[in-house]
Amino acid sequence: MVKASQDWNWRQTMLKSRSRWHPYVITALLIAGMTIVLKPFGLAFDLTNIALIYLLPVLLNAAVWGLRPAFFAAFLGVLSFDFFFVPPVLSFTVADLRYLISFAVYLAVAGLTASLAARLKQQVLYSKQKEKQTATLYALSKQISSAADMPSLLDRFSRQLSEILKMDVTIYLSENNDELTLACRSFPFAHHVQEQAELALAKRAYNQGKSLEKRISHTGGLIGHFIPLQIEEHRFGVMVLISKHERSETLPEQALLFEAVGGLAASAVARVKFEEEAKLAHLTAESERLRIAILNSVSHELRTPLAAIIGSATGLIDGEKLFTSEERMQLLVTIREGALRMNRLILNLLGMARLEGGMLALRKNECEIEEIIGSTFMQLKGYQEHRMIHLDLAEEIPIILGDEALLEQMLMNVLSNAIKYSPDFSKIILSVKIDNDFLHLSVADEGVGLKEDELDRIFEKFFRSDQTRQFTGTGLGLAISKGIAELHGGTISAKPNVPKGAVITISLPFVQDNP
């Protein structure tokens, strides 16, 4: 293993040595060829023109290989021009000393030209590198902008970055007590020792808050770039970039690109972390709000029916011989109404808890709306008191595909609201209409009604209209009804009733009967 690594290093050294001398060899051959071509025409051409022709290798070297090969071409061109074309020829001596001034001017022009050409080449390379960096950052930002959770974000980021930079990517995130844990790795580590060395260097970069460039092991020759993921005082982890080639040198523009990529990764990690914390805070606030609502409901809503049940039951037990049969029946009705009221309240509380927790499962069966309406009326029979409920049904009512128990609870909540907020001897109309593959259930009452800005808000959790403050309630019934309607692929809406009251409309898709 060590011998193979040494052979590979030797081959790399030889290739670098060859590539280092390659421009000089080509330049020498080019000037030799130009000299051979120009020599027969030397007497016919003006020496100034020949000197200008020798500037071509200088420009070529400056544009292709850089400043040092360009100076080499200028120096070799002066020697060739002096030896083969300046009298006396085939000699480095100069008969006319004015040629020395020409040589100095030639070298100065060649140097200036080479410097300008080399600088232009550097500018072009710099522009290409900046363009590549911008394209890299843009591609990375597109990949991570749509990521909603941390695992998908890190997976997309590491894969895209590894493909662009041709480097292995590892990301460590800080957990409790600033402990770094492996969150994502684009390649498997072959040696446990190297993995431990990488983690130790990552902790060092995290604690110092500065980028590091260190060799991970003495035998493998892998160089790691450790970039802390931090925004101002917040540190989220460390990104490790490992070059796939040994002894690779990091250019200044590469270091800037690594820092920019680290900043982009830190921003993305911070965004996801803050979103997760915001969601957690929102869920905590909603849970606390639901808990307070349940406590308030238990302390206020359940107290009245429970007191009625206890009082009526106590009267029946203690005064068995004091009450007539009609009075005993009235007490039993009171007990039943209190129990039904408590049952409705508990169902709403449990339904909202299931809806908030995503546990409200839908069991789809073929349901007949007439049976659901009949069952709902049976449960509301004692609750409606002196209010009159009228039915307005379509001639043919199709079958509903849904959960019969949930549909019954939804209709029960809507009708209970209409009864609660309507005065005695008022009229409530329940109509069933068919329109465009939808079944529309409408409940119109003559109650206190709703304001224009409350028509949408009444379906929010815990919202209660200002006009209904004198009535008991939790503001959960219509919110649960909305959740049940949406589970069935339908909608629920409200509008004012003319001349007074409100109309609640439930729209549900239906399944036509087979002929």
Side-chain angles (χ1 to χ4, degrees):
M1 185 75 180
V2 176
K3 187 177 185 301
S5 177
Q6 292 175 349
D7 292 340
W8 189 87
N9 291 336
W10 180 80
R11 287 196 297 270
Q12 291 295 318
T13 303
M14 292 298 296
L15 288 174
K16 289 181 180 179
S17 177
R18 289 177 184 176
S19 62
R20 187 182 302 116
W21 293 105
H22 191 67
Y24 300 97
V25 174
I26 293 179
T27 301
L29 293 176
L30 179 60
I31 293 178
M34 290 174 57
T35 303
I36 294 172
V37 172
L38 292 173
K39 182 59 179 173
F41 305 99
L43 297 176
F45 286 0
D46 186 68
L47 293 182
T48 304
N49 294 331
I50 296 176
L52 292 176
I53 292 174
Y54 274 105
L55 282 177
L56 293 178
V58 178
L59 296 175
L60 178 64
N61 276 273
V64 177
W65 290 301
L67 199 58
R68 290 183 180 180
F71 279 117
F72 173 74
F75 180 73
L76 193 60
V78 167
L79 293 179
S80 300
F81 178 67
D82 179 25
F83 191 79
F84 292 102
F85 296 99
V86 175
V89 295
L90 301 179
S91 172
F92 290 108
T93 60
V94 178
D96 191 348
L97 295 179
R98 288 178 298 177
Y99 279 108
L100 295 177
I101 300 175
S102 300
F103 294 159
V105 172
Y106 174 84
L107 289 175
V109 172
L112 179 60
T113 306
S115 299
L116 293 177
R119 185 178 301 177
L120 180 61
K121 178 187 176 183
Q122 287 296 114
Q123 289 293 332
V124 172
L125 292 176
Y126 180 75
S127 299
K128 289 183 178 180
Q129 289 169 353
K130 293 297 290 183
E131 181 182 358
K132 182 180 178 181
Q133 291 180 8
T134 304
T136 300
L137 296 176
Y138 178 71
L140 289 174
S141 63
K142 283 184 63 178
Q143 284 291 326
I144 64 180
S145 60
S146 59
D149 56 271
M150 192 67 70
S152 62
L153 167 67
L154 298 180
D155 180 65
R156 293 181 187 181
F157 185 83
S158 60
R159 283 192 290 106
Q160 184 75 9
L161 187 59
S162 180
E163 291 175 3
I164 293 175
L165 298 181
K166 307 301 180 186
M167 303 179 77
D168 296 323
V169 182
T170 306
I171 297 178
Y172 293 92
L173 294 182
S174 60
E175 300 295 338
N176 297 331
N177 299 323
D178 290 338
E179 286 293 328
L180 291 181
T181 57
L182 179 64
C184 183
R185 189 189 295 280
S186 65
F187 70 104
F189 242 134
H191 301 288
H192 180 70
V193 176
Q194 291 179 346
E195 187 173 1
Q196 293 299 317
E198 179 192 85
L199 179 58
L201 290 172
K203 290 180 178 179
R204 178 179 171 184
Y206 179 82
N207 293 329
Q208 293 180 354
K210 297 180 180 179
S211 299
L212 296 177
E213 181 181 342
K214 293 290 183 180
R215 193 177 302 279
I216 295 178
S217 65
H218 297 290
T219 57
L222 298 176
I223 295 178
H225 308 273
F226 300 82
I227 300 102
L229 304 180
Q230 59 184 3
I231 297 178
E232 296 179 352
E233 297 85 9
H234 300 282
R235 295 181 188 173
F236 304 101
V238 175
M239 179 179 66
V240 184
L241 304 176
I242 298 179
S243 175
K244 296 180 180 180
H245 303 289
E246 297 182 359
R247 294 198 177 100
S248 58
E249 297 180 358
T250 304
L251 300 176
E253 55 270 15
Q254 287 180 314
L256 291 176
L257 176 60
F258 295 161
E259 291 293 335
V261 169
L264 183 62
S267 300
V269 171
R271 175 181 63 82
V272 174
K273 274 185 171 291
F274 292 154
E275 286 179 356
E276 290 177 351
E277 292 176 359
K279 289 180 182 178
L280 181 60
H282 177 71
L283 290 175
T284 303
E286 286 294 319
S287 299
E288 181 65 17
R289 190 177 179 186
L290 183 60
R291 184 185 69 84
I292 294 174
I294 292 175
L295 290 176
N296 290 337
S297 298
V298 170
S299 61
H300 293 89
E301 296 298 315
L302 295 181
R303 183 178 299 172
T304 301
L306 189 59
I309 292 173
I310 294 174
S312 299
T314 302
L316 288 174
I317 294 171
D318 296 340
E320 182 180 359
K321 297 180 180 180
L322 299 178
F323 298 106
T324 63
S325 58
E326 291 80 7
E327 291 172 338
R328 283 197 298 271
M329 181 58 66
Q330 184 62 40
L331 291 174
L332 290 173
V333 169
T334 302
I335 293 174
R336 186 187 67 177
E337 290 178 352
L340 290 174
R341 183 175 173 183
M342 292 175 62
N343 183 61
R344 284 193 299 272
L345 179 60
I346 292 172
L347 283 177
N348 282 340
L349 292 173
L350 293 177
M352 180 52 64
R354 292 167 60 196
L355 189 64
E356 288 291 315
M359 298 181 294
L360 196 60
L362 183 64
R363 294 174 295 181
K364 288 189 175 182
N365 298 304
E366 292 187 350
C367 307
E368 294 186 2
I369 198 65
E370 294 96 329
E371 293 183 0
I372 295 175
I373 293 174
S375 176
T376 304
F377 278 8
M378 288 295 296
Q379 297 183 55
L380 293 173
K381 188 175 182 181
Y383 181 64
Q384 71 183 72
E385 295 180 349
H386 302 294
R387 298 163 186 85
M388 297 171 289
I389 300 180
H390 295 271
L391 285 176
D392 181 12
L393 303 180
E395 293 183 1
E396 294 184 4
I397 301 178
I399 292 177
I400 293 292
L401 188 64
D403 192 313
E404 186 173 348
L406 293 179
L407 292 174
E408 186 176 311
Q409 182 182 358
M410 175 181 64
L411 185 58
M412 173 80 70
N413 286 339
V414 176
L415 282 172
S416 297
N417 270 18
I419 293 172
K420 180 191 296 185
Y421 301 126
S422 299
D424 282 342
F425 304 104
S426 63
K427 184 167 61 175
I428 298 173
I429 300 176
L430 172 60
S431 61
V432 180
K433 305 295 181 184
I434 308 300
D435 179 30
N436 296 330
D437 295 337
F438 272 84
L439 183 145
H440 304 284
L441 281 166
S442 296
V443 178
D445 62 57
E446 299 175 348
V448 295
L450 295 167
K451 297 178 181 178
E452 190 68 28
D453 59 344
E454 296 175 342
L455 296 178
D456 293 327
R457 297 193 62 195
I458 60 170
F459 300 105
E460 298 177 1
K461 299 187 299 292
F462 310 111
F463 177 79
R464 302 195 65 210
S465 173
D466 293 335
Q467 300 171 228
T468 62
R469 295 298 180 184
Q470 68 272 22
F471 300 96
T472 60
T474 59
L476 293 176
L478 291 181
I480 295 172
S481 298
K482 179 183 178 182
I484 294 174
E486 291 176 348
L487 276 177
H488 287 80
T491 59
I492 186 170
S493 60
K495 65 179 182 180
N497 192 19
V498 180
K500 63 177 182 178
V503 180
I504 306 295
T505 302
I506 304 166
S507 300
L508 300 171
F510 60 81
V511 178
Q512 295 284 358
D513 288 328
N514 294 326

